[in-house]
Amino acid sequence: EEAGGRTRLRRPGKGEELYGEGAARMASMRDSGALYFRDKYAQTSKAVAVLIRKKLQPSVDAAVEYVNERSGWAEVERLKGAISTLELDLREAQAAHREVREQLKMLQDQHRRSQVEMDTLLVTKHMWSEHQLHQYKKLLEEERNNSAAMQALEAAYGNTEHKVDRSLNSLMEGLRKRFHEEQLWTDRIRQLSTWSTIAILMANSLIFMFSYLLRWREVNNVRTAVKQIREDVKKQDLASKSMCAQVEEMNQHLQHMEHLLDRNQHRWRAHSSSAARAAPDPEAWEDGQGGLSRKQKTTLAVWFAGTTMLAVWVIGRHTVSA
């Protein structure tokens, strides 16, 4: 508010303060409630997912194991593990074979060096000293030891080579079996896929034929109903035409009767005006003059009204059917 050129701020009232506090409290309660329900929903969803996983996981594992066993994939997996073991055995045998070969090569090199030294000493055999004799004996002893070691290493080399060949043959046999099982599994899966495709095609064909049969049945029912309706309409038309002809004939007869009635009434009025006192009984006069009595007039009026109502009912029914 402005007063004397100065602006003063209005203090909010007590009611406004209470309203603001209540609104803030409601907003905080709404936010806390939303967060609570969100957390509860997340916890419930997680618990339900864990429960479903615990309940369904054994069944799923059993189903997968059964399918793998029936399809032959379990045998393929077993052969894969056996091939891994055979590959490890082959690597170990090859490593042992390389080690024995290296040792044998070292002994062969040492044997060649010893042979060279012995040949050199034998050239100067007539000039040997005590040291050269001792060296020759030492070379002979080393040659004997090397020969024994070479024989042992040659035997070990042969064993390791045989082991490598045996491991390689086992590995090749395992690979052949694995390839054979994989081919059988592929054939089973291909056969299953083929029969599944045929079954799906047959099911689709049966569904198509069944839907076509239902459609044909509906169309046939509709055609039969339309045909029956047309026949009923034709019958109603014939009946209405015959009824209309009867009504027309009745109308003509009634017009003729009305004409006779008017003529007789005119005659009666003429005679009644000329001879009022000596006038005969109207019913007797009408009977004597060939006219209609009062009873006949009443019967004729009732019959005319009934015929008219019947004609109106027939025409209305024909209109509704059309």
Side-chain angles (χ1 to χ4, degrees), residues 90-113:
L90 179 62
R91 292 192 187 97
E92 292 178 355
Q94 288 177 347
H97 182 67
R98 283 194 298 269
E99 184 178 358
V100 172
R101 185 176 58 188
E102 292 294 331
Q103 293 178 1
L104 183 61
K105 185 177 180 181
M106 290 173 60
L107 286 176
Q108 288 177 352
D109 294 338
Q110 188 176 359
H111 176 68
R112 283 195 295 271
R113 287 195 300 271

Side-chain angles (χ1 to χ4, degrees), residues 217-249:
R217 186 177 179 181
E218 291 177 359
V219 171
N220 191 18
N221 292 334
V222 170
R223 288 178 179 174
T224 305
V226 170
K227 185 178 179 181
Q228 187 67 30
I229 291 171
R230 288 178 178 176
E231 291 178 357
D232 294 340
V233 168
K234 288 181 180 179
K235 292 179 180 179
Q236 293 291 337
D237 289 339
L238 294 175
S240 61
K241 287 180 180 179
S242 62
M243 186 64 68
C244 289
Q246 293 178 3
V247 170
E248 185 68 24
E249 185 178 356

Side-chain angles (χ1 to χ4, degrees), residues 10-27:
R10 186 175 63 85
R11 296 181 61 186
K14 188 175 181 181
E16 294 180 355
E17 291 180 355
L18 292 175
Y19 177 75
E21 291 178 359
R25 190 176 301 168
M26 289 294 294

Side-chain angles (χ1 to χ4, degrees), residues 85-257:
T85 304
L86 291 174
E87 288 178 350
L88 183 60
D89 294 341
L90 179 62
R91 292 192 187 97
E92 292 178 355
Q94 288 177 347
H97 182 67
R98 283 194 298 269
E99 184 178 358
V100 172
R101 185 176 58 188
E102 292 294 331
Q103 293 178 1
L104 183 61
K105 185 177 180 181
M106 290 173 60
L107 286 176
Q108 288 177 352
D109 294 338
Q110 188 176 359
H111 176 68
R112 283 195 295 271
R113 287 195 300 271
S114 298
Q115 288 292 330
V116 171
E117 290 179 1
M118 289 178 65
D119 292 339
T120 304
L121 289 174
L122 287 174
V123 171
T124 59
K125 182 178 180 181
H126 58 284
M127 295 185 303
W128 279 356
S129 62
E130 190 70 24
H131 175 69
Q132 290 176 343
L133 180 61
H134 181 70
Q135 186 178 3
Y136 183 74
K137 289 181 180 180
K138 186 178 179 180
L139 289 174
L140 287 177
E141 186 176 359
E142 289 179 358
E143 182 67 20
R144 187 169 55 252
N145 294 332
N146 289 335
S147 299
M150 285 179 62
Q151 290 178 1
L153 286 176
E154 286 177 356
Y157 181 80
N159 293 330
T160 55
E161 187 176 7
H162 179 68
K163 188 175 181 181
V164 168
D165 293 337
R166 188 172 60 230
S167 299
L168 184 60
N169 292 330
S170 300
L171 179 61
M172 296 300 294
E173 184 67 19
L175 290 174
R176 187 187 65 78
K177 288 182 179 180
R178 176 185 170 184
F179 178 76
H180 179 68
E181 290 295 332
E182 286 181 352
Q183 287 294 323
L184 292 177
W185 177 80
T186 305
D187 294 338
R188 292 192 189 99
I189 295 299
R190 188 182 295 112
Q191 186 177 6
L192 179 63
S193 177
T194 302
W195 284 109
S196 300
T197 305
I198 293 172
I200 291 171
L201 289 175
M202 292 179 67
N204 290 332
S205 301
L206 290 175
I207 292 171
F208 174 75
M209 293 176 65
F210 184 70
S211 61
Y212 181 78
L213 180 61
L214 289 179
R215 179 63 179 172
W216 175 81
R217 186 177 179 181
E218 291 177 359
V219 171
N220 191 18
N221 292 334
V222 170
R223 288 178 179 174
T224 305
V226 170
K227 185 178 179 181
Q228 187 67 30
I229 291 171
R230 288 178 178 176
E231 291 178 357
D232 294 340
V233 168
K234 288 181 180 179
K235 292 179 180 179
Q236 293 291 337
D237 289 339
L238 294 175
S240 61
K241 287 180 180 179
S242 62
M243 186 64 68
C244 289
Q246 293 178 3
V247 170
E248 185 68 24
E249 185 178 356
M250 290 179 184
N251 288 331
Q252 293 178 1
H253 185 66
L254 288 174
Q255 289 178 2
H256 179 67
M257 296 297 291

